[in-house]
Amino acid sequence: MPDRRRSAREVLALVADDGSFTELPAPTRESAPDGPLRWQGYDASRARAAERTGEEESVVCGTATVAGARAVLIAFEFGFLGGSLGERTGDRLAAAYTYAREHHLPVVPLIATGGSRMQEGMVALTQLHRVARQSALTRAAGQAQIAVLRDPTTGGGWATLGAGADVILALPGAQVGFAGSRVRPAGADPAAYTAESQVAVGSADAVVRPEDLKQALGTWLRLLSRPGEAVPAPVPAALGTTGLPDSGWAAVRRARSAERPRAHAYLDAYFTHRAHLSGDRCGGADPEGMLCGFGERDGRTVAFAAQTGTATRPAGYRTAARLIRLADRLGTPVLTLVDTPGAANGAEAERQGAGAAIAEVFGAVAAARVPVTTLVIGEGGSGGALALAAPGNTWATPDSYFSVIAPEPAAAILKRPPEAVESTADQLRLRPQDLVELGLVRGIVGPAGEDGVSAPPPPG
């Protein structure tokens, strides 16, 4: 069941620091009696809504600090005509976004809406154009947008303010979907229209309990609001073994060892705290295979996309591309951890667009204006690993290998017997020290406190 439906003022009190909320002046607009459609009784409906809620419109906009981080907050009042968007709502939203850009502040829509206001017809519906334009301008200005989905978040409010945000948090059990409960097809599964379902299919990042919302928002606001620094992220120290493998097959065995540290261990050691993004925003998530988000390192924000040692699914690649593009827009350096035997290559992965998803990551890394730093911490399996590797700024641990293809399929393609797999691994020159000699990685990093084996960057 959803958490109880809070008013706009109650949700503002839930997330804003005590005494910090200052309401923005509401733009004034002269309108015809009963609105643009002359909808009989519309003025009376608005008057009753105002008396019932104490609000003059369906949104309350202002500035506040959230766990110490300043932002523009937009709180919907569902009690005012179902939190619907009308012309005056659009005026307030546009003014709030403009203020955020002028003062370099992130925007936090706290959404609870049933959609566009029927009594204003197409005039109301076209407010979505205004909202989309304001969101796009704010995105281009480098300000973050963090949406909170309350109950309900449906219609155009979900399709603009909600789904268009950089980070999407949701309250437990909230009704979330483009179709509201009264306009869905008969027999539609109600579970598909929940916050939990939207997270599972990659359309939202996390479900957050009301008592945790202020802290979660504060963390995201701090991580996404720091000025970007055009310097690379430092290379993480290796956590595994120190000596180098004496053969190609030894390198492969090390990288595949169950005892070797994985991405979670590296992220725990590297960041003082972090927050995770989840989902590709087009129907998929790969939470077990790709870890993406932002973390704090030495007082700076660093974005991360980390493979976990499994075959990466298309949704994982699309989530990584989403992360890199967001970091680039915010001016945040990116750290990628490479660790995969390769991209998932089953029939389902092909149906989900594996090639296009991998291409998205290649393109995002290639187009990034911020520094991207890569550490290969385990298996580097072909193009599915290379997509996350930064050209000219990739490093390796002694527990890793990188290869055009794994030794077993390489031997099979060459029609060699199984006993030739080990010698094929040597021929592929996939060891960390081979990669340094070939100029494909900048160096090999050792554990914290040790220099490890290193090499100068390759020429050019």
Side-chain angles (χ1 to χ4, degrees):
M1 293 294 293
D3 186 68
R4 77 173 184 86
R5 190 172 285 162
R6 290 176 169 83
S7 69
R9 302 287 173 174
E10 287 175 327
V11 78
L12 287 169
L14 182 69
V15 301
D17 296 336
D18 291 345
S20 69
F21 181 75
T22 302
E23 191 166 352
L24 293 173
T28 58
R29 173 187 288 272
E30 294 294 328
S31 59
D34 284 332
L37 302 189
R38 307 292 199 273
W39 186 289
Q40 188 174 358
Y42 178 38
D43 282 350
S45 295
R46 286 197 296 198
R48 288 193 297 271
E51 183 178 1
R52 183 170 57 251
T53 64
E55 306 297 346
E56 296 179 353
E57 248 305 333
S58 59
V59 292
V60 178
C61 305
T63 61
T65 59
V66 180
R70 193 159 178 255
V72 168
L73 304 184
I74 298 170
F76 277 72
E77 176 53 70
F78 190 76
F80 193 103
L81 301 180
S84 56
L85 279 75
E87 197 169 26
R88 291 178 178 176
T89 321
D91 292 342
R92 291 185 175 211
L93 294 172
Y97 272 91
T98 299
Y99 184 94
R101 291 194 300 276
E102 290 174 346
H103 294 82
H104 308 289
L105 294 174
V107 181
V108 180
L110 303 154
I111 309 168
T113 176
S116 299
R117 195 167 297 171
M118 290 183 296
Q119 297 92 330
E120 294 187 19
M122 281 299 296
V123 173
L125 188 64
T126 56
Q127 299 310 304
L128 302 181
H129 278 157
R130 295 181 72 188
V131 173
R133 175 63 175 164
Q134 291 299 322
S135 178
L137 291 172
T138 303
R139 188 177 300 115
Q143 267 74 66
Q145 298 169 70
I146 306 170
V148 176
L149 313 181
R150 297 156 56 209
D151 184 54
T153 299
T154 61
W158 164 231
T160 51
L161 290 159
D166 301 314
V167 177
I168 304 173
L169 309 178
L171 294 180
Q175 179 190 168
V176 180
F178 186 64
S181 59
R182 298 184 184 182
V183 296
R184 295 171 192 157
D189 180 7
Y193 302 86
T194 63
E196 289 77 6
S197 177
Q198 298 293 353
V199 171
V201 300
S203 295
D205 292 297
V207 173
V208 181
R209 298 182 305 171
E211 58 267 34
D212 299 328
L213 182 59
K214 180 177 181 177
Q215 189 58 49
L217 273 176
T219 296
W220 275 113
L221 288 168
R222 287 190 296 274
L223 288 173
L224 301 187
S225 300
R226 291 192 178 100
E229 299 179 54
V231 295
V235 183
L239 300 179
T241 55
T242 56
L244 295 175
D246 57 10
S247 70
W249 186 243
V252 172
R253 290 183 61 188
R254 272 197 196 184
R256 293 177 180 174
S257 170
E259 306 303 316
R260 173 182 59 78
R262 267 30 184 207
H264 276 291
Y266 277 90
L267 296 176
D268 286 344
Y270 187 78
F271 292 113
T272 53
H273 64 271
R274 63 185 189 271
H276 287 256
L277 296 174
S278 177
D280 62 6
R281 296 297 183 266
C282 54
D286 187 14
E288 303 303 321
M290 183 74 76
L291 306 176
C292 293
F294 291 76
E296 183 178 296
R297 167 79 178 190
D298 298 331
R300 298 172 53 214
T301 296
V302 177
F304 62 87
Q307 292 171 315
T308 64
T310 65
T312 308
R313 294 161 50 193
Y317 288 114
R318 283 190 287 262
T319 305
R322 171 192 161 210
L323 177 281
I324 294 167
R325 288 192 293 262
L326 174 58
D328 191 51
R329 178 162 58 78
L330 297 177
T332 303
V334 179
L335 169 69
T336 63
L337 300 180
V338 168
D339 185 9
T340 180
N345 58 7
E348 187 60 27
E350 292 299 334
R351 282 191 287 266
Q352 294 170 359
I358 296 169
E360 277 197 57
V361 182
F362 272 117
V365 171
R369 295 160 296 180
V370 295
V372 180
T373 301
T374 299
L375 181 63
V376 187
I377 63 172
E379 291 195 80
S382 194
L386 187 68
L388 263 71
N393 199 26
T394 292
W395 303 75
T397 71
D399 281 333
S400 68
Y401 80 84
F402 217 143
S403 179
V404 64
I405 190 172
E408 296 92 339
I413 290 171
L414 296 171
K415 298 181 179 180
R416 294 178 176 178
E419 56 268 24
V421 167
E422 294 187 20
S423 60
T424 301
D426 287 330
Q427 285 184 284
L428 287 169
R429 299 202 65 194
L430 47 71
R431 299 176 304 167
Q433 59 266 45
D434 296 326
L435 299 172
V436 171
E437 186 177 336
L438 291 168
L440 302 175
V441 302
R442 293 186 63 174
I444 303 166
V445 298
E450 297 186 19
D451 292 334
V453 183
S454 63

